[in-house]
């Protein structure tokens, strides 16, 4: 189950990363393209920093009875 989760997460990152960057670049006005791309990268980095702490909190709560 853990391997399946890791593989699906990795595939999501591989497929979704270029798409979100392209959307951020194409939706921005020319003068603000750098700001849009930096905000996009900041959001990705913040999610990568916060996600382990949130997941650890959820796992320590022990509410995994559904699986």
């Amino acid at each position: 189950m853990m391997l399946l989760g890791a593989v699906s997460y990795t595939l999501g990152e591989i497929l979704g990363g270029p798409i979100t960057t392209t959307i951020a670049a194409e939706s921005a006005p020319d003068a603000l393209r750098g700001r849009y791309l930096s905000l996009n990268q900041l959001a990705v980095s913040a999610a990568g920093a916060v996600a382990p702490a949130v997941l650890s909190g959820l796992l320590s709560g022990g509410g995994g009875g559904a699986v």
Side-chain angles (χ1 to χ4, degrees), residues 3-66:
L3 181 62
L4 181 62
V7 168
S8 65
Y9 181 81
T10 302
L11 286 175
E13 278 190 324
I14 290 170
L15 296 174
I19 293 170
T20 59
T21 303
T22 302
I23 290 172
E26 289 182 356
S27 65
D30 289 337
L32 298 175
R33 184 165 290 140
R35 290 183 185 186
Y36 274 54
L37 290 173
S38 65
L39 184 61
N40 179 52
Q41 187 59 43
L42 177 65
V44 170
S45 299
V50 171
V54 171
L55 183 59
S56 295
L58 290 171
L59 289 174
S60 68

